[in-house]
Amino acid sequence: MTDLFEKSIQTLELPRVLERLAEQAVTEEGKDRCLALRPLTDADDVQRALDETTAAVNMTALRGSPSFSGVKSVRASLQRADMGGALNTRELLDIAAVLRSARSAKEYGEGEGDRTKTCIDHLFRSLTANRFLEDKITGAIVGEGEIADAASPELAAIRRHIRATASKVRDILNKLISSNQAKYLQDAIITQRNDRFVVPVKSEHKNDVPGLVHDVSSSGSTFFIEPMGVVKANNELKELQSREEKEIERILAELSSECAQFKEDIAQDYDLLILLDVIFAKARLAYRMRGAAPRLDAKGLYLRKARHPLLDPNKAVANDLMLGEQFDTLVITGPNTGGKTVTLKTIGLLTLMAQCGLHIPVGDGSCVKVFRRVLSDIGDEQSIAQSLSTFSSHMVNIVGILEQADDETLILFDELGAGTDPIEGAALAAAIIESAREMGALVAATTHYAELKVYAMTTPGVENASCEFDVDSLAPTYRLLIGIPGKSNAFAISQRLGLPKEIIQKAAARIDAENVRFEDVLTQLDEQRQEMEREKEAAAKLRREMEETAKASREYKAQLEAQRLKAVEKAQAEARAILDEARNTADQVFQELNDMRRRQRKEEDWQRVNDERAALRHRLNEAEGKLG
């Protein structure tokens, strides 16, 4: 990565974004890796990094983030264990924390059996974890510097003997304290000196309590004496404590040896956890920046509703920014403090962020091109140390940029050609842009020169853009208008600020007629644009009203249809009830007819009864058919 590229990374403030990314990481090494991120220059690598962030965003939305708390670097500890060294409790607990986090992350990665597969699943699957070693360490070590009794049967037995012996020593000393020798004591207490139980004896009675002197108070008034009656028990206690230390050393050495056996697995788990920590930090930053994953495009960039990531998202004005598809050069004009430099930085910074695998604050459908270099000349480059003027310092940068530019370069020029004679500066700026275009680079430049506005209007592949300025409020709107050159608004702003009208008129008289006509054309274009926007807004309002009316009409129609269906259902139910009643009555009639038929023996009576029965059944079926 060239020095100019690195300098541009600093100028475009990528490190400030990476600081915010580092705040989202959990582990110390994860934070360091976030700060050290640099743009990838291979399209496949960029796509992979963006996909990893997208996968983490989706997983976080469904199940939250995996836990990386307590994960610390264990490389040095594993190396020392592999060389036969015994690790201390802190180092072993750090290894256990890595194992615990690896196990937790692996379970997180497995998730639901039918969930959608992602491009980071293999990272979770590659975690080995080691529940046996994890439990063995945490079962043996209660806390830093504290070994559990259950670490080994031998340690448990030694500690039982220590407690029993210590209790015996206290019993002996308690008897001394409660005997007639108590009057020799400074205080009726049992204390310790050099890990041996002693009692505080008044200096004048030091010979009245036979024993070994272990310490004397600073004033000399108290002697800490180990009575002869407890010397043997204290010796036994000391021996037991020595055995305890040796057993603890053996336990730590054994645990260290087991860690050394799984050195590669533990080291791999640690590296994977750090990588996942960085990926999920990107996901959390995407959420906080309201970011989205851009598509990669070989031709250029199109950033919909783009916002500068370091500005307040609730206040920053979103703009559509494009470069490379329909034109390879964008010339941005407008007054100072109007947002031209912010626009340049937004284009450059969002491109760098995307090439770092970060989601960027843009709308859906945005795309970026992967550049080998993003080179910029932005800001006041005056160098007192090198005795260079602002113009000279800018020119040194521009020379370096043109030396490195090619068809995989994005170049950002701020106030190109400024700091020298306007006529020469404008001509030089146009020549520099043409030179960069011939090399195939994409260029975005800001300027005040009217000549460059004309150049952009008359040169294929070069497009004008302007940062809108509200003359009435004397404030920029920070809206970028692509396709429209900006006005300087110097006269209008001066008049609004109270500069006498006659001075403004004198100034206007000094401008040649061609420039006046050009500014008049820009004024007319701006007025037409504003009128078209007002008409567009009115049309949009009318369309919204029509859509609301149509929606209300559809809802009313649906309501009427529901009421009609309800009425039809009610009528059909009533008709069915009437029909059922009629059927019951008909059945009774049929029964009577059957009785008549049995009583009638003549053929004509039989036939007449059947005919009447068929006619009645036919009428009932017709009525039922109409209900259906």
Side-chain angles (χ1 to χ4, degrees):
M1 189 174 295
T2 66
D3 291 340
L4 276 177
F5 192 4
E6 181 62 34
K7 182 178 180 182
S8 295
I9 286 173
Q10 301 295 325
T11 300
L12 295 171
E13 301 182 280
L14 177 63
R16 287 186 59 193
V17 174
L18 298 182
E19 286 174 6
R20 296 191 177 186
L21 174 64
E23 291 172 359
Q24 305 305 320
V26 178
T27 64
E28 286 303 316
E29 186 162 343
K31 293 178 184 294
D32 292 340
R33 289 197 190 181
C34 288
L35 294 173
L37 277 178
R38 285 300 178 266
L40 301 166
T41 55
D42 180 81
D44 291 337
D45 292 339
V46 173
Q47 188 63 65
R48 187 199 72 250
L50 287 171
D51 290 344
E52 288 174 349
T53 304
T54 300
V57 166
N58 294 335
M59 294 176 80
T60 300
L62 291 173
R63 291 179 283 149
S65 299
S67 173
F68 304 106
S69 62
V71 175
K72 298 177 182 177
S73 178
V74 293
R75 293 191 186 94
S77 299
L78 291 172
Q79 186 67 29
R80 197 152 54 81
D82 191 48
M83 295 171 66
L87 305 182
N88 60 39
T89 54
R90 179 68 271 161
E91 291 172 311
L92 288 166
L93 287 175
D94 286 344
I95 290 174
V98 170
L99 295 172
R100 180 173 60 253
S101 187
R103 174 172 54 82
S104 174
K106 192 174 183 68
E107 292 170 355
Y108 172 95
E110 292 169 352
E112 300 297 329
D114 58 347
R115 69 172 181 81
T116 304
K117 304 302 180 185
T118 75
C119 63
I120 59 175
D121 288 349
H122 70 283
L123 299 177
F124 291 104
R125 287 196 301 270
S126 297
L127 291 165
T128 54
N130 188 330
R131 185 64 181 265
F132 174 77
L133 181 56
E134 175 195 342
D135 289 345
K136 190 167 185 177
I137 293 173
T138 55
I141 304 174
V142 178
E144 187 170 353
E146 185 178 357
I147 304 296
D149 289 0
S152 75
E154 177 67 15
L155 182 62
I158 292 171
R159 285 183 171 173
R160 280 198 303 273
H161 285 102
I162 287 174
R163 287 190 290 271
T165 304
S167 177
K168 182 169 69 173
V169 171
R170 287 193 186 90
D171 288 342
I172 295 171
L173 293 178
N174 281 326
K175 289 178 181 178
L176 184 148
I177 290 172
S178 61
S179 70
N180 59 0
Q181 289 186 311
K183 59 180 180 290
Y184 304 140
L185 304 181
Q186 193 72 261
D187 294 295
I189 60 170
I190 300 171
T191 186
Q192 282 187 310
R193 289 293 186 275
N194 301 322
D195 294 327
R196 299 178 77 88
F197 288 99
V198 296
V199 290
V201 179
K202 297 174 184 178
S203 58
E204 61 270 24
H205 296 293
K206 63 180 179 180
N207 295 323
D208 294 323
V209 179
L212 304 175
V213 177
H214 285 278
D215 196 7
V216 180
S217 67
S218 57
S219 63
S221 61
T222 304
F223 280 62
F224 295 93
I225 296 176
E226 177 186 5
M228 293 306 295
V230 297
V231 169
K232 182 180 179 181
N234 266 336
N235 288 340
E236 183 181 351
L237 188 60
K238 195 72 175 176
E239 182 183 347
L240 288 169
Q241 289 170 344
S242 177
R243 287 174 56 194
E244 178 189 29
E245 289 177 6
K246 289 180 180 179
E247 179 61 15
I248 289 174
E249 289 174 0
R250 188 197 66 77
I251 292 169
L252 294 178
E254 181 181 299
L255 291 173
S256 301
S257 176
E258 292 202 35
C259 289
Q261 292 178 32
F262 298 100
K263 172 189 169 184
E264 288 77 12
D265 289 343
I266 298 170
Q268 176 180 285
D269 280 353
Y270 174 76
D271 289 337
L272 288 169
L273 290 171
I274 298 303
L275 178 56
L276 286 168
D277 185 24
V278 173
I279 292 173
F280 278 86
K282 291 180 180 179
R284 286 188 286 272
L285 183 68
Y287 175 78
R288 283 161 176 74
M289 284 191 172
R290 306 175 190 174
R295 290 185 298 103
L296 299 188
D297 190 288
K299 294 182 179 179
L301 56 89
Y302 174 44
L303 306 174
R304 294 184 62 254
K305 295 181 171 36
R307 292 178 285 104
H308 194 285
L310 298 176
L311 298 178
D312 185 344
N314 297 316
K315 296 180 181 178
V317 176
N319 283 304
D320 290 349
L321 307 173
M322 59 194 74
L323 183 62
E325 182 69 37
Q326 301 172 6
F327 47 87
D328 57 48
T329 300
L330 189 65
V331 176
I332 307 171
T333 51
N336 288 330
T337 72
K340 301 193 303 298
T341 303
V342 171
T343 301
L344 275 191
K345 286 191 170 184
T346 301
I347 293 172
L349 181 53
L350 295 189
T351 298
L352 295 176
M353 288 175 61
Q355 290 185 213
C356 287
L358 297 172
H359 285 189
I360 55 179
V362 294
D364 292 337
S366 297
C367 62
V368 296
K369 179 179 178 179
V370 177
F371 297 96
R372 201 149 56 94
R373 302 181 191 86
V374 177
L375 305 177
S376 66
D377 179 57
I378 297 175
D380 185 1
E381 295 290 336
Q382 185 173 17
S383 174
I384 298 175
Q386 299 179 16
S387 301
L388 295 175
S389 67
T390 299
F391 176 79
S392 299
S393 295
H394 278 293
M395 196 50 59
V396 168
N397 277 345
I398 291 169
V399 169
I401 288 172
L402 294 179
E403 287 176 349
Q404 297 186 18
D406 57 20
D407 59 354
E408 295 183 84
T409 306
L410 171 64
I411 301 177
L412 306 171
F413 291 125
D414 191 25
E415 298 298 345
L416 184 59
T420 187
D421 177 78
I423 296 176
E424 293 182 353
L428 194 58
I432 290 171
I433 290 175
E434 275 302 306
S435 178
R437 294 184 66 211
E438 289 172 1
M439 297 173 187
L442 298 187
V443 181
T446 68
T447 182
H448 280 297
Y449 294 139
E451 291 85 351
L452 284 184
K453 301 175 189 177
V454 176
Y455 165 75
M457 293 176 70
T458 58
T459 306
V462 183
E463 186 62 86
N464 266 305
S466 59
C467 290
E468 189 179 54
F469 190 85
D470 189 341
V471 178
D472 293 331
S473 64
L474 297 180
T477 66
Y478 299 107
R479 289 181 60 206
L480 184 73
L481 308 171
I482 293 181
I484 300 174
K487 292 179 59 182
S488 66
N489 293 302
F491 291 168
I493 293 171
S494 299
Q495 186 173 356
R496 288 281 296 169
L497 291 174
L499 191 67
K501 191 174 183 180
E502 56 270 20
I503 296 178
I504 294 174
Q505 290 173 344
K506 288 179 182 179
R510 290 178 176 272
I511 301 177
D512 62 54
E514 192 64 32
N515 281 336
V516 171
R517 284 195 296 273
F518 182 67
E519 286 295 318
D520 288 342
V521 169
L522 292 185
T523 300
Q524 293 174 11
L525 285 174
D526 192 52
E527 290 174 351
Q528 291 175 4
R529 176 189 62 79
Q530 293 182 25
E531 180 62 28
M532 289 175 63
E533 286 192 354
R534 284 193 291 269
E535 291 177 357
K536 182 180 177 182
E537 193 173 321
K541 182 179 179 183
L542 180 61
R543 184 175 67 251
R544 287 194 300 271
E545 291 176 351
M546 291 177 64
E547 288 175 352
E548 290 174 359
T549 301
K551 181 181 178 182
S553 176
R554 288 194 298 270
E555 291 175 351
Y556 181 65
K557 182 179 178 182
Q559 191 177 13
L560 287 178
E561 180 65 17
Q563 292 176 349
R564 186 188 70 78
L565 291 175
K566 187 176 180 181
V568 169
E569 290 176 358
K570 182 178 179 182
Q572 288 178 340
E574 293 176 350
R576 287 193 186 91
I578 294 172
L579 186 60
D580 289 342
E581 185 177 354
R583 283 187 178 280
N584 292 334
T585 303
D587 288 341
Q588 292 178 1
V589 171
F590 288 154
Q591 183 63 40
E592 292 177 0
L593 288 174
N594 288 334
D595 292 343
M596 290 175 60
R597 185 179 61 188
R598 284 195 296 270
R599 289 194 297 270
Q600 297 293 333
R601 298 183 180 274
K602 295 180 179 179
E603 184 66 26
E604 60 274 14
D605 291 337
W606 182 283
Q607 187 63 41
R608 180 176 56 78
V609 170
N610 278 339
D611 289 345
E612 291 177 354
R613 178 177 180 179
L616 181 58
R617 176 64 68 184
H618 180 68
R619 289 196 299 275
L620 289 172
N621 288 337
E622 284 183 344
E624 184 175 8
K626 290 178 181 180
L627 287 175

